[in-house]
Every structure is written in structure tokens, then in C-alpha cells.
Amino acid sequence: MSGGLTDIAGIRVGHADDPRAQSGVTAVVFDAPTVAAVDIRGGGPGTRETDLLDPERTVPGVDALVLSGGSVFGLDAASGVTAWLAETGRGFAVGPARVPIVPAAILFDLLNGGDKAWGRYPPYRDLGFAAAAKAGTGPVAMGSVGAGLGARTANLKGGLGSASAAVEGTGLRVAALVAVNALGRVTVGDGPHFWAAPFEIGAEFGGLGSPATPAPDAFAWPVKPMPGANTTIAVVATDARLTKAEARRLAVMAQDGLARAIVPAHTPLDGDLVFSAATGAVPLTDPVGDLARLGDAAARVLARAVALGVYHASALPVAGAQGAWRDRFGG
């Protein structure tokens, strides 16, 4: 079983899609304000309220995190999630007022063939509200859903993936959710083998393992119709009790999962970003050692989630993507 972000108690995930626009939104809603941080490695990120996540900032926790398609238009999705949270009385207390804290990140899917002629009012605010309203604790839907609906990679349809794992040697658990819209490939060249194969559990994304020898085109520079139309955005979460500074270190270590699963990653043409969140249910026994183990596990879980997002994607008519993994290679 791959598991998912909702394996961490206190976290709910919801998706909302616009099939006509070939774009969507994924909302991660916390049952209580949650310590969070962010690490940004790509050269072209698009974000909202990430400054609040710095350890020296006043706000101690966030109410939700948002991943959205739509490039800059998709940042409106956080307004929809904020409105939903406000209706439920959530938010940072400022006197009698409540201010929901909702950092967000976007990916670029404006040129994927969907109808983006939305006029004065893009759909993302409504999509954000709907995604938050749908957020639940059940299994996380994967593939061509939410923020992964219109995503693509260099040679395959992109998608939304999620996975989880116990952290060896501790009583902790870590999980990841990612929208894969990369400049690079998640497979070794144009073959069926995932770069993340060493971290696969069972046959969760095909069970093919790694190729005996890398294909001649394994490291060939990817060609996409519009360089810069990229970005992989993710959330890693744990039940550990972390400070904001420790959560930041978790996000930094988790970024290695993108580098292990996507070639190339963190380029000037991507906006690669990882949020981290810690619900605080389980204290660290060894603050340094447990955090190191947690970050290592987070990188492996995120690599698996990347492969799962592409593995479960459907072959929607997205320009520049040759189809879904299973349609091309079986399984």
C-alpha cells in the first residue's frame, strides 16, 4: 500500500477540477493550526504567504496549504480556501477577528490545451473553496486530479501523487503529496523504468525496478513545447512535534526526493517547492537523530509520490505529453 498524506492524523485532502480548463486545485486542510515551513529550489516559483513560514515570523501555525494549477491565476485558489475556513470560524486570532493562514504554491499549466478563456474571473477561487469543502481523511485520489489534472512532464502526462511510510527507529510517520509538472523526466529516458524505482514498495508503480543499464537517452536534455512551463510542488507532513526551524530542515531534506525522482530537477525553468507540516502528536525522543531519520524518510516518500503521480495519471489530451505511463507501457 502506498498510503497517502491523510495517513497523518489531523490532515484532510480535497481536490477540485475544471476539465474544460484542464486545471485544478488541491487543498490540504489541518484540523488545528499546524507548524509549517517551506523550501524553494526552483528558479521560477509562484507563491502566496510563504514569508509567514520563516521561523522568526509571529504566526505559529497554518490552517491549510494549497497546491494549484493556473500559474499566477491559480493563486486565487487560496482565497477560496480562506473563505471556506472563515465560514468555519478558523484563523489566527486578532482581537475578535479570525484570519485564516493559507500559504499556497502554483504550477504552470496555461498551455496544456485547455480552455483558459475565462475572462475577468478565473475559476480558481471557486475551485479552492470546493477543494476545501471536499477535504476528507480517506485515501488520497491520485493521477489526473486536483493540481495534477493538467500537469505534464518532458515525456509523459504529469499528475498528483501521494505516499506515506513509518520512520525506521522512531515512533514517527511521514507522508508526501506532490503535483508533478516537471521540465524533466520521471522515467529513465523514454523507457518504462522510474528513476524512483529504488524506493518503490512492492509494485506500487509497476514493479519494474531499475534498468540493467541506463538507456542511451537517460540523461538527454528534455524537450518541451514551452520551456518555463513547469514546476513540481509538494507537501510533506509528519506527526512529529517540530519547531518551525525543524520543519524547515525537514523541507530541505525532503527536496532530495525530487532530485531522486526527476531528471533534471530544480532548474531555472522550474519553480520546485516543498512545504512541510508537523502536527505535533509525537515528541522527538532524540531531537537531532530523529529529525535526521525523518528527513531521510521524507525524501524517499516524496520520490515515491512523484512516480505514483505519473503512474496513476490518465492520458488526457494534454499538449506536449505523449500519454499516461500505463497506456504506453501497460500495467
Side-chain angles (χ1 to χ4, degrees):
M1 296 292 291
S2 301
L5 200 72
T6 52
D7 288 349
I8 307 299
I11 297 179
R12 292 175 285 145
V13 175
H15 307 296
D17 304 332
D18 186 333
R20 181 175 177 180
Q22 291 186 30
S23 189
V25 172
T26 296
V28 178
V29 179
F30 302 104
D31 288 347
T34 297
V35 169
V38 68
D39 184 61
I40 302 172
R41 297 290 173 95
T47 61
R48 167 175 159 155
E49 291 201 312
T50 52
D51 285 350
L52 290 174
L53 303 179
D54 287 343
E56 71 270 20
R57 303 303 185 206
T58 301
V59 173
V62 304
D63 298 297
L65 296 168
V66 178
L67 307 181
S68 179
S71 188
V72 67
F73 303 101
L75 291 175
D76 282 350
S79 296
V81 176
T82 299
W84 184 86
L85 288 164
E87 285 191 355
T88 65
R90 292 285 305 276
F92 182 72
V94 183
R98 291 278 177 173
V99 181
I101 307 299
V102 186
I106 48 87
L107 56 81
F108 188 102
D109 59 7
L110 298 180
L111 302 176
N112 65 5
D115 181 4
K116 306 302 193 297
W118 44 57
R120 181 176 297 182
Y121 300 108
Y124 293 99
R125 189 180 190 279
D126 289 340
L127 288 171
F129 190 97
K134 293 176 183 177
T137 59
V140 178
M142 292 192 283
S144 299
V145 296
L149 178 63
R152 57 189 177 183
T153 70
N155 61 329
L156 288 167
K157 178 73 179 65
L160 195 289
S162 194
S164 74
V167 181
E168 183 180 359
T170 74
L172 306 172
R173 191 162 191 88
V174 66
L177 180 144
V178 59
V180 186
N181 186 61
L183 171 72
R185 300 181 183 88
V186 302
T187 56
V188 183
D190 285 326
H193 301 274
F194 286 98
W195 286 110
F199 313 107
E200 186 176 16
I201 295 178
E204 61 185 349
F205 42 84
L208 298 181
S210 300
T213 58
D217 61 348
F219 299 103
W221 189 252
V223 177
K224 292 185 75 172
M226 181 62 68
N230 316 300
T231 293
T232 297
I233 48 180
V235 177
V236 295
T238 178
D239 53 7
R241 186 178 303 163
L242 302 180
T243 65
K244 289 175 75 173
E246 289 168 336
R248 159 74 175 166
R249 179 51 50 185
L250 175 61
V252 169
M253 292 187 70
Q255 282 273 16
D256 289 346
L258 298 186
R260 293 170 182 173
I262 304 168
V263 176
H266 305 145
T267 76
L269 306 176
D270 290 282
D272 295 346
L273 172 154
V274 175
F275 289 114
S276 62
T279 62
V282 183
L284 300 182
T285 302
D286 174 0
V288 175
D290 286 356
L291 181 59
R293 287 175 179 265
L294 183 61
D296 173 57
R300 287 183 273 115
V301 166
L302 182 52
R304 289 169 51 215
V306 168
L308 284 160
V310 173
Y311 180 72
H312 286 285
S314 59
L316 293 173
V318 175
Q322 298 177 18
W325 186 94
R326 287 182 291 181
D327 291 331
R328 287 184 61 186
F329 303 116

